[in-house]
């Protein structure tokens, strides 16, 4: 069979997408790189400062603390949401009205905008009028997310789990439904235990959807902004101030465009590296089979 | 384009990246890549993968250098060039 491509003209069909991506992503990214090496006061006075902003940003303890908090948050989100999502998907009915009902209920948190989720949890968690806050205080738990950093972390994590575990569960559910029945019949003949079925049939078949789930949840949680901003405003103190909030303060609050641009690029490189590592590791495991 | 405040350094940087991509495309057309295993752990890579790893690694070399050293950035650039070509050739 001759696989040599004789006509490459079809590549021109990609040009509109290329132009769109260049206009909406590549050129703005190039502008950020450009800003990160300059000190810009107004349209007519830009001074080249080289790597100064990078040095400043990399040695800023405020940013280092935010970075540690961000990694802790993303790790916690993945450690909770991925196993929980798989568990929910395994427990969901496979057919009938209940299956449709579960799918609708699971999809509901995903339809709520980020800032609305923050507002819901802000009221829900309040110690005086909130259902959860008042209940916890009523049973003797000293809970106040506005003054206690541990409570604030607990609430932000719980909010994220509430908002996004459904996504993992729905992805896993679709993965589970695509497994042919013959696999389960073979397992039944071999008298395989429920754990063995999960370990050797379901989990390997879920791998491709889990790649998407892990990547989406990592990237989303690593870039989280609106929910903690509305819920805690980054407090108490700076205990729930994540990277995007620090960046926003720098770029919009202080209007330090140079350091904010340098910081944005470092942020982008971290997301790029971690996503690539996840993707490569999981696809490598897939290829090995 | 004056309103975008382009500097010579940024322009040179992006022209450099564009040249790398164009050269890689021409190379790929002339001689299509074959996946192989080099010194990079675990994974077999194509030529494009190695360019990506080389560039990403170079960015991190620069950042680490800036974070820990006050010396000239050209040292980091030199290390990055060595890293980039090593990954491309033996990675």
């Amino acid at each position: 069979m001759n696989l040599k491509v004789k006509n490459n003209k079809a590549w021109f069909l990609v040009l509109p997408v290329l132009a769109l991506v260049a206009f909406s992503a590549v050129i703005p990214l190039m502008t950020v790189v450009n800003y990160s090496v300059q000190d810009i006061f107004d349209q007519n006075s830009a001074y080249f400062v080289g790597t100064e902003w990078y040095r400043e940003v990399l040695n800023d303890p405020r940013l280092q603390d935010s970075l540690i908090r961000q990694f802790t948050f993303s790790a916690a989100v993945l450690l909770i949401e991925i196993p929980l999502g798989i568990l929910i998907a395994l427990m969901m009915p496979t057919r009938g009205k209940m299956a449709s009902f579960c799918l609708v209920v699971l999809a509901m948190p995903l339809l709520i905008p980020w800032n609305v989720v923050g507002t819901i949890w802000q009221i829900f968690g309040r110690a005086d009028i909130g259902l959860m806050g008042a209940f916890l205080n009523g049973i003797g738990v000293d809970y106040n997310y506005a003054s206690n950093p541990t409570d604030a972390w607990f609430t932000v994590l719980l909010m994220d789990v509430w908002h996004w575990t459904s996504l993992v569960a729905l992805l896993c559910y679709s993965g589970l439904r695509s497994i042919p029945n013959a696999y389960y019949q073979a397992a039944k003949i071999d008298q395989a235990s429920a754990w063995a079925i999960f370990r050797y049939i379901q989990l390997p078949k879920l791998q491709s959807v889990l790649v998407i789930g892990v990547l989406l949840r990592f990237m989303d949680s690593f870039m989280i902004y609106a929910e903690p901003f509305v819920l805690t405003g980054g407090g108490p103190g700076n205990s729930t101030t994540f990277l995007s909030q620090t960046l926003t303060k720098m770029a919009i609050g202080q209007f330090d465009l140079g350091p904010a641009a340098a910081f944005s690029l470092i942020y982008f490189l971290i997301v790029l590296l971690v996503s690539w590592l996840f993707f490569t590791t999981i696809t490598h495991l897939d290829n090995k089979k | 384009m004056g309103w975008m405040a382009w500097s010579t350094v940024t322009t040179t940087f992006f022209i450099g990246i564009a040249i790398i991509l164009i050269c890689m495309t021409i190379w790929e057309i002339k001689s299509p890549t074959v996946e192989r295993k080099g010194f990079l752990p675990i994974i077999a890579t194509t030529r494009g993968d190695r360019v990506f790893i080389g560039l990403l690694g170079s960015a991190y070399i620069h950042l680490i250098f800036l974070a820990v050293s006050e010396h000239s950035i050209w040292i980091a650039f030199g290390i990055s060039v060595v890293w980039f070509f090593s990954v491309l050739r033996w990675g």
Side-chain angles (χ1 to χ4, degrees), chain B residues 36-49:
Chain B
R36 66 163 166 78
K37 177 86 187 70
F39 71 76
L40 290 167
I42 307 169
I43 48 167
T45 52
T46 63
R47 207 184 284 143
D49 292 335

Side-chain angles (χ1 to χ4, degrees), chain A residues 140-189:
Chain A
V141 180
D142 184 20
Y143 168 84
N144 189 338
Y145 71 81
S147 63
N148 186 330
T150 314
D151 294 347
W153 263 85
F154 168 74
T155 317
V156 172
L157 266 175
L158 195 64
M159 175 177 64
D160 199 86
V161 169
W162 176 84
H163 196 185
W164 290 111
T165 304
S166 307
L167 177 76
V168 183
L170 290 174
L171 282 170
C172 291
Y173 185 75
S174 67
L176 286 172
R177 294 290 73 76
S178 68
I179 302 173
N181 218 18
Y183 284 83
Y184 294 110
Q185 286 165 352
K188 207 171 180 183
I189 293 166

